Amino acid sequence: MFSNHKCIVTKFGGSSLADAAQFRKVRDILMRDPARRYVVPSAPGRRFDGDTKVTDLLYACHRAVRNGEDLEVPFSQVRARYEEIHRELGLSIDLDSELNHIHDKMLSGADADYCASRGEYLNGLLLADFLSWRFMDAAKVVFFDDASNFDSEKTNVVMMALLADDTPTVIPGFYGVCPSGRIHTFSRGGSDITGAIVARAVRAETYENWTDVSGFLMADPRIVEHPQEISRITYAELRELSYMGASVLHEDAMFPVHKVGIPTVIRNTNHPEDEGTLISLALPALPTEPTITGIAGHKGFSVVAVEKAMMNSEIGFGRKVLQIFEECGISFEHMPSGIDSLSVVVSGEAFAPHREEIVGKIAEICEPDALTIHDNMSIIATVGRGMVSNCGTAARLFSAMSRAGINVRMIDQGSSELSIIVGVDDQDFERTIRAIYQEFVG
Ligand code: ASP
């Protein structure tokens, strides 16, 4: 069984393992704390602007074979990337035969998932050799079912058993195996998920996700100049922010660790001295912390507003409206409601092709007094634990918007008490985020 030693699972993203110099940084980080006993690598990422990620080259290999084009064009680039790391680090594994085997499998028509997964597989082999750690193929410990859904329980049981001996181990990210033996990958960026799965299985104290930024920013740096970093955030707050478009971590990577209460820390491989962002289950709202945790949003929503006197007493009214959207295959994002009104906020792109149909059906089935559609709406969430129960926050937010001359088209506080959501015209999107940031952060 697992010892009582503190244990940390680390995951290094593609840019953290893009070349030999990055491998050395990773080793230094691992050596600095003996608790870092499990490492999940991504495939080599971009080394400079304009460079191509190995995963993208591997998908290009698959396309080349499928389209009857020359495999050597993309494959020689893959080969060169690994050979360079192998050579510069003076590694001893037989890279040539690994590459030749993969090359032959590709030529004989291996599928896209197999091809893409080799990026992590090879990087894992190189890293294990460099560290002199055990290599554990993800195909032995990460399982999918026949329908290619991740089998979390089987994975957890097998992984726990195979990793229980505390031996420092490299487990490649991004892929696993189906019962048929076929390799299957998570969606892009999925090594984050593997890291979280390993953290859960070995009951890690912390899941460290090493990347090329020093944590999450409070707002999009393309909108707010030099936004502050978020030092601590809860999983629930992060979920709200990532839903709204902020992204650093794969969304599905939160669940395995969240479930068992293991905190995740986002750290920067190029600046290991930075503390990064700590994501945990619950955090006390300390007086020293900022009132808000972050601001994120999206443009391009359509709001379908339905008005009908006495709507509140008409049983099934909301269901009828939502069913119309459901039948068109459109999911709704928000649904603020008043006494005699209800608004359904949907993606403008998803709504456009069904517009006539939806309007017609609402008129026919729900017989509203009025039906209005506002297109080109932005939804902005201001997120912060404790913010909502802290009186005066909403007033500050709306005063800031009013001072900036921004018209609030919609307000939705949701029931999570974690965020205040406002709807504004797309043209006011950036100004709104700046006004809110300025008010709360300065
Ligand atoms: N290499 C894969 C990708 O580029 C998975 C990952 O990096 O997490 O999406």
Side-chain angles (χ1 to χ4, degrees):
M1 267 332 271
F2 292 97
S3 65
N4 288 329
H5 302 155
K6 176 177 146 195
C7 134
I8 296 171
V9 170
T10 57
K11 177 258 166 179
F12 288 87
S15 58
S16 301
L17 288 162
D19 57 22
Q22 293 299 88
F23 267 65
R24 291 198 182 93
K25 290 185 194 168
V26 168
R27 185 176 60 182
D28 289 349
I29 290 167
L30 293 173
M31 295 308 134
R32 220 165 289 150
D33 188 343
R36 295 180 174 133
R37 282 196 296 282
Y38 301 96
V39 55
V40 175
S42 279
R46 291 190 193 91
R47 293 158 295 180
F48 43 82
D49 278 353
D51 194 17
T52 311
K53 288 178 166 193
V54 164
T55 307
D56 292 324
L57 292 172
L58 291 164
Y59 281 119
C61 289
H62 173 255
R63 279 195 306 276
V65 175
R66 196 190 52 198
N67 300 339
E69 293 157 10
D70 187 4
L71 170 63
E72 298 323 309
V73 177
F75 195 80
S76 59
Q77 294 182 60
V78 173
R79 190 182 277 280
R81 292 289 303 264
Y82 288 107
E83 280 179 352
E84 188 180 302
I85 297 171
H86 188 269
R87 190 179 52 248
E88 285 188 24
L89 298 179
L91 301 181
S92 58
I93 63 152
D94 186 358
L95 177 63
D96 240 14
S97 65
E98 291 288 346
L99 284 165
N100 293 343
H101 176 73
I102 293 167
H103 179 265
D104 292 350
K105 294 266 286 192
M106 285 177 170
L107 270 186
S108 58
D111 68 12
D113 279 16
Y114 171 82
C115 297
S117 73
R118 297 305 89 184
E120 272 68 12
Y121 171 80
L122 288 171
N123 229 21
L125 282 178
L126 296 188
L127 184 63
D129 188 12
F130 182 49
L131 299 169
S132 302
W133 282 17
R134 169 173 68 180
F135 174 77
M136 178 74 73
D137 188 352
K140 292 204 165 61
V141 283
V142 177
F143 301 98
F144 295 90
D145 64 17
D146 286 319
S148 303
N149 296 312
F150 173 55
D151 187 341
S152 68
E153 288 324 301
K154 180 175 177 192
T155 300
N156 198 45
V157 170
V158 176
M159 201 180 264
M160 239 180 183
L162 289 181
L163 298 182
D165 56 7
D166 272 352
T167 308
T169 307
V170 179
I171 308 109
F174 191 38
Y175 72 94
V177 70
C178 295
S180 63
R182 189 176 59 80
I183 295 291
H184 183 69
T185 62
F186 291 110
S187 57
R188 293 300 303 266
S191 300
D192 282 346
I193 308 174
T194 311
I197 293 166
V198 175
R200 177 187 170 205
V202 303
R203 295 176 219 162
E205 191 186 75
T206 310
Y207 169 33
E208 290 181 347
N209 191 299
W210 292 82
T211 172
D212 54 2
V213 291
S214 295
F216 299 117
L217 298 173
M218 289 187 78
D220 186 335
R222 289 167 299 188
I223 300 173
V224 171
E225 227 179 290
H226 306 304
Q228 279 185 19
E229 271 141 18
I230 301 175
S231 61
R232 292 137 49 93
I233 185 170
T234 65
Y235 282 108
E237 287 176 304
L238 180 60
R239 164 90 186 104
E240 301 237 353
L241 286 175
S242 23
Y243 162 75
M244 279 293 173
S247 73
V248 167
L249 190 63
H250 193 296
E251 247 198 308
D252 294 341
M254 283 180 251
F255 296 108
V257 274
H258 181 183
K259 205 153 128 180
V260 289
I262 299 171
T264 301
V265 196
I266 308 294
R267 305 276 308 255
N268 191 342
T269 304
N270 304 317
H271 291 282
E273 66 287 357
D274 290 352
E275 278 181 15
T277 300
L278 169 73
I279 315 159
S280 56
L281 213 49
L283 287 167
L286 300 175
T288 47
E289 289 195 25
T291 317
I292 66 167
T293 305
I295 313 165
H298 263 313
K299 282 185 176 176
F301 290 97
S302 290
V303 180
V304 180
V306 186
E307 277 174 50
K308 187 172 188 182
M310 309 298 286
M311 171 192 291
N312 60 328
S313 56
E314 189 178 325
I315 293 174
F317 189 84
R319 177 185 51 75
K320 283 188 222 160
V321 174
L322 290 181
Q323 191 164 356
I324 295 168
F325 286 89
E326 184 184 339
E327 281 164 7
C328 292
I330 300 176
S331 66
F332 76 94
E333 310 287 333
H334 298 277
M335 196 178 58
S337 63
I339 302 171
D340 287 333
S341 69
L342 176 159
S343 297
V344 185
V345 183
V346 290
S347 135
E349 211 180 293
F351 177 62
H354 300 281
R355 196 181 185 96
E356 304 301 315
E357 187 186 346
I358 289 176
V359 170
K361 280 192 178 164
I362 294 179
E364 186 196 321
I365 301 169
C366 309
E367 300 177 338
D369 298 335
L371 176 61
T372 12
I373 298 173
H374 309 281
D375 291 312
N376 307 319
M377 278 265 290
S378 291
I379 305 289
I380 296 162
T382 305
V383 177
R385 55 190 181 278
M387 173 183 78
V388 180
S389 52
N390 194 337
C391 66
T393 311
R396 279 175 72 190
L397 189 144
F398 292 114
S399 311
M401 288 179 68
S402 138
R403 278 197 307 276
I406 299 160
N407 189 9
V408 183
R409 306 290 302 267
M410 191 194 84
I411 303 171
D412 186 3
Q413 190 170 304
S415 47
S416 68
E417 297 236 329
L418 274 180
S419 61
I420 297 176
I421 291 165
V422 293
V424 298
D425 287 332
D426 275 351
Q427 65 192 37
D428 292 329
F429 178 70
E430 287 84 1
R431 281 195 319 124
T432 305
I433 292 183
R434 278 186 219 116
I436 298 173
Y437 185 88
Q438 185 71 38
E439 171 64 31
F440 290 99
V441 191

